[in-house]
Amino acid sequence: MSSESDTADEAVRGTCDDASICKRFAVSVGYWKDPYMQYFVRQAKERKAPEINRGYYARVQGVSQLLCAFLKKTECNCQIIKLGAGLDTTFWRLKDENLLPKKYFEVDFPAIVSRKLHNIKSKPPLSKPIMETHNGDSLLIDAYSLDSARYSILGADLRNLKDMEEKLKKVGMDPQLPTLLVAECVLVYMSPEKSASLLKWAGDTFPTAMFVNYEQMDRLLSNGWEAADAWDMIRVYSSLPQNDVARIEKLEFLDERELLEQLLLHYCISWGTKDSLHLGLAEITF
Ligand SMILES: C[S@@+](CC[C@H](N)C(=O)[O-])C[C@H]1O[C@@H](n2cnc3c(N)ncnc32)[C@H](O)[C@@H]1O
């Protein structure tokens, strides 16, 4: 790889910190509960603007609603693959809520995975829940991957599909199981050709699946998905439980609502489904 693309990849990895710091800050103000984020990132030194916090609130709650709907439809008899997961803490939340899928996989660049694993190894509130869900053979953990009974974290490049698929298969990914793939602010950092190949790979590999994507695009139908929909974040925000929206709107004074609306309008959550088991996945919406 050229040093130019090395530098570009390093900048992409840096976005993991931005996302985690913003999430940590919003959690500290009370937008949503996440007792695990504190073990991955230090509290931000400066406050984040209220519209940024509300934007993250809509993003996290929106993705979470579709994820929970998928778990409900499949009765947790499924697998989840979080692409470009960064320091995401969803595994721990699902465990606390007794909503774990059969297996939860995460993929990110090896350098990010290695940081995540370092935190997991050194912080019992992170490692204990993984041990509690682990049974059978000893848990495998090295610098760039973790494999336990219910949770695998893999260092791989989403642009190298063959290598990623091999790694996922090695840790028990089952293409026949209903599969939820989630990419939260990830595809935008790949070239259009590479992100289209990833969508197509997912569409070709899993006969019963849903792909949830948070950002500014919707190319699911042209890449092998049977049904797809996209909602801009204003629509998502106004469809979230309004008692909770009223609660978070009291947390901080928002000077200019137009700023929040502009920000929300720039992003969307799109999702696509394939449903060979006729589970009714195309019915999932907000
Ligand atoms: C903006 S961060 C989002 C992290 C997480 N999904 C979240 O929302 O908190 C983008 C993540 O995608 C990862 N990523 C981007 N391109 C990737 C690639 N080609 N291979 C693996 N990971 C990638 C980055 O390393 C980073 O962790």
Side-chain angles (χ1 to χ4, degrees):
M1 198 188 282
S2 73
S3 64
E4 200 176 307
S5 52
D6 268 353
T7 314
D9 283 0
E10 196 50 44
V12 169
R13 285 189 282 272
T15 65
C16 167
D17 286 325
D18 300 339
S20 312
I21 290 168
C22 289
K23 285 183 180 179
R24 169 87 206 261
F25 185 79
V27 166
S28 75
V29 181
Y31 280 86
W32 70 94
K33 288 202 175 77
D34 184 341
Y36 300 101
M37 207 63 206
Q38 58 178 314
Y39 301 115
F40 287 114
V41 255
R42 280 197 219 106
Q43 177 67 294
K45 289 199 189 79
E46 291 130 37
R47 290 191 73 82
K48 303 282 169 194
E51 58 272 17
I52 300 286
N53 297 330
R54 287 193 197 181
Y56 270 93
Y57 167 80
R59 159 175 168 178
V60 169
Q61 301 301 103
V63 171
S64 168
Q65 284 218 351
L66 293 179
L67 185 139
C68 288
F70 184 85
L71 286 167
K72 204 166 162 201
K73 272 274 185 234
T74 58
E75 298 174 344
C76 296
N77 187 20
C78 63
Q79 59 191 357
I80 296 179
I81 305 179
K82 198 117 198 208
L83 303 165
L87 303 175
D88 188 275
T89 54
T90 306
F91 169 82
W92 289 274
R93 180 170 69 80
L94 293 181
K95 171 170 189 296
D96 285 348
E97 292 172 6
N98 218 3
L99 277 176
L100 275 183
K102 281 194 149 174
K103 193 147 180 176
Y104 189 93
F105 304 86
E106 289 181 355
V107 181
D108 208 301
F109 281 121
I112 301 286
V113 166
S114 143
R115 274 176 50 198
K116 188 162 193 172
L117 294 180
H118 175 76
N119 284 306
I120 292 175
K121 280 190 256 183
S122 55
K123 303 199 171 135
L126 296 175
S127 54
K128 220 171 131 254
I130 300 179
M131 296 310 292
E132 281 167 9
T133 55
H134 186 67
N135 46 31
D137 297 340
S138 59
L139 184 140
L140 294 176
I141 184 161
D142 60 28
Y144 300 112
S145 65
L146 168 132
D147 185 32
S148 71
R150 306 293 288 278
Y151 190 20
S152 282
I153 309 180
L154 302 173
D157 190 326
L158 300 171
R159 296 165 298 188
N160 186 344
L161 295 169
K162 198 164 164 282
D163 175 66
M164 178 175 81
E165 180 171 323
E166 262 167 31
K167 285 179 174 158
L168 281 166
K169 282 197 168 147
K170 239 191 206 154
V171 293
M173 178 197 79
D174 175 2
Q176 295 313 313
L177 211 54
T179 302
L180 174 67
L181 300 115
V182 183
E184 190 184 322
C185 228
V186 174
L187 302 190
V188 71
Y189 299 110
M190 300 164 64
S191 69
E193 297 75 34
K194 291 288 180 188
S195 60
S197 304
L198 179 65
L199 292 174
K200 190 168 180 321
W201 166 80
D204 289 347
T205 306
F206 305 100
T208 310
M210 177 166 173
F211 197 111
V212 173
N213 182 38
Y214 169 87
E215 63 194 7
Q216 309 98 322
M217 56 138 263
D218 179 21
R219 283 174 290 147
L220 289 153
L221 289 177
S222 53
N223 285 294
W225 293 79
E226 288 163 7
D229 207 348
W231 282 30
D232 72 52
M233 292 309 287
I234 292 203
R235 201 168 163 207
V236 172
Y237 190 78
S238 47
S239 79
L240 292 174
Q242 290 303 299
N243 52 350
D244 202 47
V245 171
R247 178 189 67 78
I248 67 114
E249 289 193 341
K250 287 195 205 102
L251 289 173
E252 294 180 291
F253 177 66
L254 183 70
D255 204 9
E256 283 188 80
R257 211 184 154 84
E258 301 87 76
L259 222 62
L260 172 68
E261 284 173 3
Q262 269 174 28
L263 189 121
L264 292 176
L265 250 187
H266 266 93
Y267 289 90
C268 71
I269 293 184
S270 53
W271 64 98
T273 51
K274 287 185 62 189
D275 198 357
S276 67
L277 291 177
H278 306 294
L279 299 175
L281 296 183
E283 292 157 17
I284 293 181
T285 186
F286 285 99

mmCIF file of all heavy atoms in Angstrom, residues 137-158:
data_model
loop_
_atom_site.group_PDB
_atom_site.id
_atom_site.type_symbol
_atom_site.label_atom_id
_atom_site.label_comp_id
_atom_site.label_asym_id
_atom_site.label_seq_id
_atom_site.Cartn_x
_atom_site.Cartn_y
_atom_site.Cartn_z
ATOM 1 N N ASP A 137 -14.703 -24.403 24.995
ATOM 2 C CA ASP A 137 -13.249 -24.285 24.930
ATOM 3 C C ASP A 137 -12.763 -22.922 25.396
ATOM 4 O O ASP A 137 -13.536 -21.996 25.508
ATOM 5 C CB ASP A 137 -12.781 -24.511 23.492
ATOM 6 C CG ASP A 137 -13.113 -25.904 23.024
ATOM 7 O OD1 ASP A 137 -13.331 -26.754 23.912
ATOM 8 O OD2 ASP A 137 -13.191 -26.120 21.804
ATOM 9 N N SER A 138 -11.447 -22.861 25.568
ATOM 10 C CA SER A 138 -10.934 -21.602 26.111
ATOM 11 C C SER A 138 -11.128 -20.473 25.098
ATOM 12 O O SER A 138 -11.131 -20.670 23.880
ATOM 13 C CB SER A 138 -9.468 -21.742 26.480
ATOM 14 O OG SER A 138 -8.767 -22.108 25.328
ATOM 15 N N LEU A 139 -11.309 -19.327 25.646
ATOM 16 C CA LEU A 139 -11.552 -18.144 24.840
ATOM 17 C C LEU A 139 -10.268 -17.762 24.102
ATOM 18 O O LEU A 139 -9.190 -17.803 24.677
ATOM 19 C CB LEU A 139 -11.951 -17.065 25.836
ATOM 20 C CG LEU A 139 -12.362 -15.714 25.383
ATOM 21 C CD1 LEU A 139 -13.530 -15.270 26.256
ATOM 22 C CD2 LEU A 139 -11.237 -14.733 25.564
ATOM 23 N N LEU A 140 -10.411 -17.439 22.826
ATOM 24 C CA LEU A 140 -9.212 -17.094 22.033
ATOM 25 C C LEU A 140 -9.074 -15.587 21.929
ATOM 26 O O LEU A 140 -10.008 -14.904 21.503
ATOM 27 C CB LEU A 140 -9.337 -17.682 20.623
ATOM 28 C CG LEU A 140 -9.320 -19.197 20.540
ATOM 29 C CD1 LEU A 140 -9.547 -19.627 19.096
ATOM 30 C CD2 LEU A 140 -7.998 -19.749 21.057
ATOM 31 N N ILE A 141 -7.939 -15.088 22.345
ATOM 32 C CA ILE A 141 -7.733 -13.647 22.217
ATOM 33 C C ILE A 141 -6.266 -13.389 21.895
ATOM 34 O O ILE A 141 -5.381 -13.916 22.550
ATOM 35 C CB ILE A 141 -8.198 -12.911 23.502
ATOM 36 C CG1 ILE A 141 -8.078 -11.397 23.355
ATOM 37 C CG2 ILE A 141 -7.512 -13.381 24.747
ATOM 38 C CD1 ILE A 141 -8.920 -10.617 24.363
ATOM 39 N N ASP A 142 -6.024 -12.678 20.811
ATOM 40 C CA ASP A 142 -4.651 -12.243 20.525
ATOM 41 C C ASP A 142 -4.694 -10.741 20.233
ATOM 42 O O ASP A 142 -5.697 -10.088 20.515
ATOM 43 C CB ASP A 142 -4.009 -13.070 19.396
ATOM 44 C CG ASP A 142 -4.790 -12.947 18.096
ATOM 45 O OD1 ASP A 142 -5.434 -11.895 17.889
ATOM 46 O OD2 ASP A 142 -4.772 -13.892 17.278
ATOM 47 N N ALA A 143 -3.624 -10.199 19.675
ATOM 48 C CA ALA A 143 -3.566 -8.739 19.532
ATOM 49 C C ALA A 143 -4.663 -8.209 18.615
ATOM 50 O O ALA A 143 -5.152 -7.098 18.809
ATOM 51 C CB ALA A 143 -2.200 -8.331 18.999
ATOM 52 N N TYR A 144 -5.078 -8.992 17.609
ATOM 53 C CA TYR A 144 -5.991 -8.457 16.601
ATOM 54 C C TYR A 144 -7.319 -9.197 16.480
ATOM 55 O O TYR A 144 -8.079 -8.951 15.546
ATOM 56 C CB TYR A 144 -5.290 -8.429 15.233
ATOM 57 C CG TYR A 144 -4.058 -7.569 15.249
ATOM 58 C CD1 TYR A 144 -2.795 -8.127 15.121
ATOM 59 C CD2 TYR A 144 -4.160 -6.191 15.422
ATOM 60 C CE1 TYR A 144 -1.657 -7.329 15.148
ATOM 61 C CE2 TYR A 144 -3.042 -5.391 15.461
ATOM 62 C CZ TYR A 144 -1.785 -5.963 15.321
ATOM 63 O OH TYR A 144 -0.676 -5.162 15.368
ATOM 64 N N SER A 145 -7.594 -10.112 17.389
ATOM 65 C CA SER A 145 -8.902 -10.761 17.328
ATOM 66 C C SER A 145 -9.281 -11.389 18.659
ATOM 67 O O SER A 145 -8.426 -11.742 19.473
ATOM 68 C CB SER A 145 -8.922 -11.827 16.230
ATOM 69 O OG SER A 145 -8.039 -12.863 16.556
ATOM 70 N N LEU A 146 -10.600 -11.463 18.827
ATOM 71 C CA LEU A 146 -11.142 -12.155 19.992
ATOM 72 C C LEU A 146 -12.197 -13.109 19.471
ATOM 73 O O LEU A 146 -12.964 -12.761 18.568
ATOM 74 C CB LEU A 146 -11.791 -11.138 20.942
ATOM 75 C CG LEU A 146 -12.653 -11.718 22.059
ATOM 76 C CD1 LEU A 146 -12.288 -11.074 23.381
ATOM 77 C CD2 LEU A 146 -14.136 -11.527 21.809
ATOM 78 N N ASP A 147 -12.194 -14.331 20.004
ATOM 79 C CA ASP A 147 -13.288 -15.233 19.659
ATOM 80 C C ASP A 147 -13.801 -15.910 20.910
ATOM 81 O O ASP A 147 -13.089 -16.649 21.569
ATOM 82 C CB ASP A 147 -12.846 -16.279 18.628
ATOM 83 C CG ASP A 147 -14.028 -17.135 18.197
ATOM 84 O OD1 ASP A 147 -15.163 -16.595 18.175
ATOM 85 O OD2 ASP A 147 -13.836 -18.332 17.922
ATOM 86 N N SER A 148 -15.043 -15.618 21.247
ATOM 87 C CA SER A 148 -15.689 -16.279 22.372
ATOM 88 C C SER A 148 -16.996 -16.863 21.845
ATOM 89 O O SER A 148 -17.333 -16.684 20.676
ATOM 90 C CB SER A 148 -15.952 -15.268 23.491
ATOM 91 O OG SER A 148 -16.987 -14.384 23.105
ATOM 92 N N ALA A 149 -17.734 -17.563 22.733
ATOM 93 C CA ALA A 149 -18.925 -18.263 22.260
ATOM 94 C C ALA A 149 -19.943 -17.325 21.606
ATOM 95 O O ALA A 149 -20.557 -17.646 20.602
ATOM 96 C CB ALA A 149 -19.577 -19.003 23.424
ATOM 97 N N ARG A 150 -20.114 -16.108 22.173
ATOM 98 C CA ARG A 150 -21.174 -15.238 21.670
ATOM 99 C C ARG A 150 -20.670 -13.955 21.017
ATOM 100 O O ARG A 150 -21.459 -13.169 20.487
ATOM 101 C CB ARG A 150 -22.116 -14.859 22.835
ATOM 102 C CG ARG A 150 -22.669 -16.047 23.595
ATOM 103 C CD ARG A 150 -23.605 -16.868 22.751
ATOM 104 N NE ARG A 150 -24.892 -16.246 22.497
ATOM 105 C CZ ARG A 150 -25.913 -16.265 23.339
ATOM 106 N NH1 ARG A 150 -25.795 -16.883 24.492
ATOM 107 N NH2 ARG A 150 -27.056 -15.694 23.038
ATOM 108 N N TYR A 151 -19.353 -13.721 21.102
ATOM 109 C CA TYR A 151 -18.829 -12.422 20.648
ATOM 110 C C TYR A 151 -17.474 -12.605 19.981
ATOM 111 O O TYR A 151 -16.566 -13.196 20.573
ATOM 112 C CB TYR A 151 -18.682 -11.530 21.886
ATOM 113 C CG TYR A 151 -18.371 -10.065 21.655
ATOM 114 C CD1 TYR A 151 -18.607 -9.433 20.439
ATOM 115 C CD2 TYR A 151 -17.882 -9.287 22.708
ATOM 116 C CE1 TYR A 151 -18.337 -8.071 20.282
ATOM 117 C CE2 TYR A 151 -17.614 -7.922 22.566
ATOM 118 C CZ TYR A 151 -17.845 -7.325 21.349
ATOM 119 O OH TYR A 151 -17.592 -5.987 21.195
ATOM 120 N N SER A 152 -17.341 -12.127 18.735
ATOM 121 C CA SER A 152 -16.047 -12.138 18.051
ATOM 122 C C SER A 152 -15.723 -10.736 17.559
ATOM 123 O O SER A 152 -16.592 -10.047 17.018
ATOM 124 C CB SER A 152 -16.089 -13.047 16.821
ATOM 125 O OG SER A 152 -15.999 -14.367 17.223
ATOM 126 N N ILE A 153 -14.488 -10.353 17.733
ATOM 127 C CA ILE A 153 -14.031 -9.057 17.216
ATOM 128 C C ILE A 153 -12.851 -9.328 16.296
ATOM 129 O O ILE A 153 -11.874 -9.971 16.715
ATOM 130 C CB ILE A 153 -13.577 -8.129 18.368
ATOM 131 C CG1 ILE A 153 -14.653 -8.043 19.444
ATOM 132 C CG2 ILE A 153 -13.250 -6.742 17.829
ATOM 133 C CD1 ILE A 153 -14.293 -7.154 20.628
ATOM 134 N N LEU A 154 -12.970 -8.883 15.046
ATOM 135 C CA LEU A 154 -11.954 -9.238 14.058
ATOM 136 C C LEU A 154 -11.299 -8.020 13.439
ATOM 137 O O LEU A 154 -11.985 -7.073 13.036
ATOM 138 C CB LEU A 154 -12.605 -10.034 12.921
ATOM 139 C CG LEU A 154 -13.333 -11.311 13.324
ATOM 140 C CD1 LEU A 154 -14.053 -11.891 12.124
ATOM 141 C CD2 LEU A 154 -12.350 -12.318 13.895
ATOM 142 N N GLY A 155 -9.989 -8.077 13.303
ATOM 143 C CA GLY A 155 -9.270 -7.041 12.575
ATOM 144 C C GLY A 155 -9.245 -7.409 11.099
ATOM 145 O O GLY A 155 -8.663 -8.436 10.726
ATOM 146 N N ALA A 156 -9.902 -6.620 10.264
ATOM 147 C CA ALA A 156 -9.918 -6.903 8.818
ATOM 148 C C ALA A 156 -10.259 -5.617 8.082
ATOM 149 O O ALA A 156 -10.806 -4.678 8.672
ATOM 150 C CB ALA A 156 -10.950 -7.981 8.498
ATOM 151 N N ASP A 157 -9.960 -5.617 6.797
ATOM 152 C CA ASP A 157 -10.266 -4.457 5.957
ATOM 153 C C ASP A 157 -11.550 -4.760 5.177
ATOM 154 O O ASP A 157 -11.618 -5.766 4.451
ATOM 155 C CB ASP A 157 -9.085 -4.203 4.999
ATOM 156 C CG ASP A 157 -9.221 -2.865 4.265
ATOM 157 O OD1 ASP A 157 -10.369 -2.465 3.967
ATOM 158 O OD2 ASP A 157 -8.176 -2.249 3.999
ATOM 159 N N LEU A 158 -12.547 -3.910 5.326
ATOM 160 C CA LEU A 158 -13.838 -4.137 4.660
ATOM 161 C C LEU A 158 -13.725 -4.093 3.139
ATOM 162 O O LEU A 158 -14.652 -4.455 2.433
ATOM 163 C CB LEU A 158 -14.848 -3.072 5.113
ATOM 164 C CG LEU A 158 -15.153 -3.006 6.620
ATOM 165 C CD1 LEU A 158 -15.990 -1.779 6.927
ATOM 166 C CD2 LEU A 158 -15.880 -4.268 7.059
#
